[in-house]
Amino acid sequence: MDKLTLIRPDDWHLHVRNGEILQHVINHTARQFARAIIMPNLKPPVTTVKQALAYRQEILAALAPDSNFTPLMTLYLTDNTRIADIEAVAQSEHVVALKLYPAGATTNSDAGVSAFENIYPVLEAMQKQDVPLLVHGEVTASEYDIFDRERLFVEQQLSVLTEKFPDLRIVLEHVTTEEAVRFVETASSHVAATITPQHLLFNRNAILAGGIRPHYYCLPVLKREKHRLALLKAATSGNPKFFLGTDSAPHPTRLKENNCGCAGCYSAHAAIELYAEAFAQANALDKLEGFASLHGPDFYRLPRNQERITLSRESWRVPGHYGQGSLQITPLKAGEEMLWKVL
Ligand code: NCD
Ligand code: ZN
């Protein structure tokens, strides 16, 4: 197969930031995807519908004139989120979900939820109004090993949430372990998961073996090979609980190549091509359309896209970086060869 035509995909987990960097990254996404779930972890975080609508306008203004792209907005759940905020989301045409970060889990997550009991009334309201909850699934206490944090979150906290709120639609974002995959597979149809391209293509050796490579460092961190294989199997299984979410998370190169480098891989420059590479490796290109274009809208109860895109088996080289100076971003697979290209 040298050409692959798909219903135009959507990205169900994306960071585009705001200000100048937004202008540089949004059109990489809009080139391939029809819609994207926009993460709310700005500084300060997006916590109200009013803020989300203002952020949406900023995104729309940054799009190239000929693009046809819809940002789907989210709010950042905090200890102070009110029931009225949930009602406002339920009524909003543009804000579709809330994102739960355990406090301290990742980039700009200081405002996250300190204990889930604090937000039970809010989760109750979300369940009632049928507003999806998007979860960054890692425990955060410093005594936990970073490679165990997702598994422990699933065991200790997610299982409590799904039991207490059985009708709440939950997306476990960017799953990275076989334990998370198994949890999602066996949970009710209200529980789904996104998977990133880096977790399908790389294991933790990419960060640490033969030299330290900060551009492969994201959270949840890449895991062992057996976990990568479990993710690849889930993504290519045709199971509608698994769908595309790049977690493309741009940071300036100088803040990644740093004594204390930021977490986040930038993949928007070649997202669907990276997924095609992973699916081709698993001999499962026929499953890419379900994962990239069908399962997500079905879970979010949004219409499937009508347009199509075509990928061709054609090699090209990823630039060493995009942008310059304080805005320079080093993409995933910088300087390396890609095997698929969007036409
Ligand atoms: C994300 C970011 O930089 O905003 N980083 C990451 O490593 N994934 C935060 C997040 O999604 O956890
Ligand atoms: Zn993210």
Side-chain angles (χ1 to χ4, degrees):
M1 210 194 308
D2 286 328
K3 287 231 160 46
L4 181 63
T5 295
L6 308 173
I7 290 184
R8 194 164 169 217
D10 303 302
D11 184 348
W12 300 97
H13 184 128
L14 177 68
H15 302 263
V16 292
R17 317 303 186 202
N18 53 354
E20 222 175 332
I21 205 166
L22 164 66
Q23 328 266 337
H24 289 259
V25 300
I26 191 66
N27 292 299
H28 279 166
T29 289
R31 176 182 71 95
Q32 322 158 51
F33 296 108
R35 298 170 285 199
I37 289 273
I38 307 295
M39 287 294 135
N41 62 330
L42 303 183
K43 267 187 213 162
V46 178
T47 56
T48 65
V49 166
K50 191 166 169 227
Q51 288 170 338
L53 294 179
Y55 184 26
R56 177 174 177 273
Q57 287 306 329
E58 191 183 345
I59 295 170
L60 293 176
L63 287 169
D66 57 343
S67 68
N68 177 14
F69 172 79
T70 303
L72 302 169
M73 309 310 293
T74 61
L75 301 191
Y76 191 120
L77 248 174
T78 73
D79 288 344
N80 301 318
T81 303
R82 298 161 309 148
I83 309 277
D85 298 315
I86 306 305
E87 284 160 359
V89 171
Q91 272 153 36
S92 168
E93 180 189 345
H94 302 302
V95 186
V96 301
L98 282 92
K99 177 72 189 284
L100 170 59
Y101 288 99
T106 182
T107 311
N108 303 344
S109 65
D110 309 344
V113 171
S114 55
F116 289 177
E117 293 76 23
N118 298 347
I119 56 158
Y120 277 178
V122 164
L123 296 178
E124 191 74 53
M126 289 176 67
Q127 175 171 255
K128 195 160 138 223
Q129 307 271 354
D130 202 15
V131 174
L133 175 72
L134 317 183
V135 181
H136 182 111
E138 290 192 286
V139 295
T140 55
S142 59
E143 66 262 30
Y144 295 123
D145 189 284
I146 188 143
F147 291 102
D148 296 335
R149 289 181 181 194
E150 181 177 276
R151 175 176 60 79
L152 293 171
F153 180 88
V154 168
E155 280 169 21
Q156 298 174 1
Q157 307 200 347
L158 187 59
S159 54
V160 177
L161 280 190
T162 52
E163 215 161 282
K164 209 151 170 64
F165 302 98
D167 294 326
L168 179 61
R169 276 187 293 153
I170 298 178
V171 183
L172 185 57
E173 299 292 341
H174 41 54
V175 287
T176 65
T177 57
E178 62 182 1
E179 290 85 1
V181 164
R182 200 173 319 124
F183 183 90
V184 171
E185 281 170 349
T186 52
S188 83
S189 63
H190 291 120
V191 180
T194 54
I195 309 182
T196 78
Q198 65 267 25
H199 292 99
L200 292 175
L201 287 167
F202 307 108
N203 64 36
R204 63 196 195 176
N205 284 6
I207 318 171
L208 294 170
I212 185 156
R213 290 185 205 79
H215 299 294
Y216 289 82
Y217 171 62
C218 66
L219 287 174
V221 70
L222 296 175
K223 305 294 193 300
R224 285 179 178 278
E225 179 65 2
K226 69 167 180 175
H227 296 293
R228 186 185 77 86
L229 293 173
L231 297 170
L232 196 56
K233 196 168 165 205
T236 59
S237 66
N239 185 337
K241 285 169 161 263
F242 297 98
F243 43 84
L244 185 159
T246 61
D247 196 20
S248 178
H251 290 279
T253 300
R254 72 190 154 84
L255 297 183
K256 296 276 301 168
E257 298 172 6
N258 193 288
N259 280 335
C260 183
C262 304
C265 296
Y266 184 68
S267 61
H269 63 297
I272 194 68
E273 290 104 334
L274 289 161
Y275 283 107
E277 214 160 295
F279 277 62
Q281 269 176 25
N283 241 322
L285 279 172
D286 60 318
K287 295 292 198 300
L288 184 59
E289 185 176 58
F291 177 81
S293 315
L294 308 180
H295 303 166
D298 292 355
F299 184 85
Y300 276 88
R301 302 190 187 139
L302 291 168
R304 293 174 172 185
N305 296 318
Q306 302 284 317
E307 291 168 87
R308 289 185 157 69
I309 63 162
T310 299
L311 289 154
S312 118
R313 196 193 296 275
E314 209 179 295
S315 88
W316 59 285
R317 196 162 290 281
V318 176
H321 58 83
Y322 292 98
Q324 282 179 18
S326 63
L327 293 173
Q328 179 181 301
I329 295 165
T330 304
L332 206 60
K333 292 196 70 170
E336 289 179 50
E337 197 188 4
M338 294 289 305
L339 304 174
W340 289 88
K341 197 171 193 322
V342 175
L343 295 180

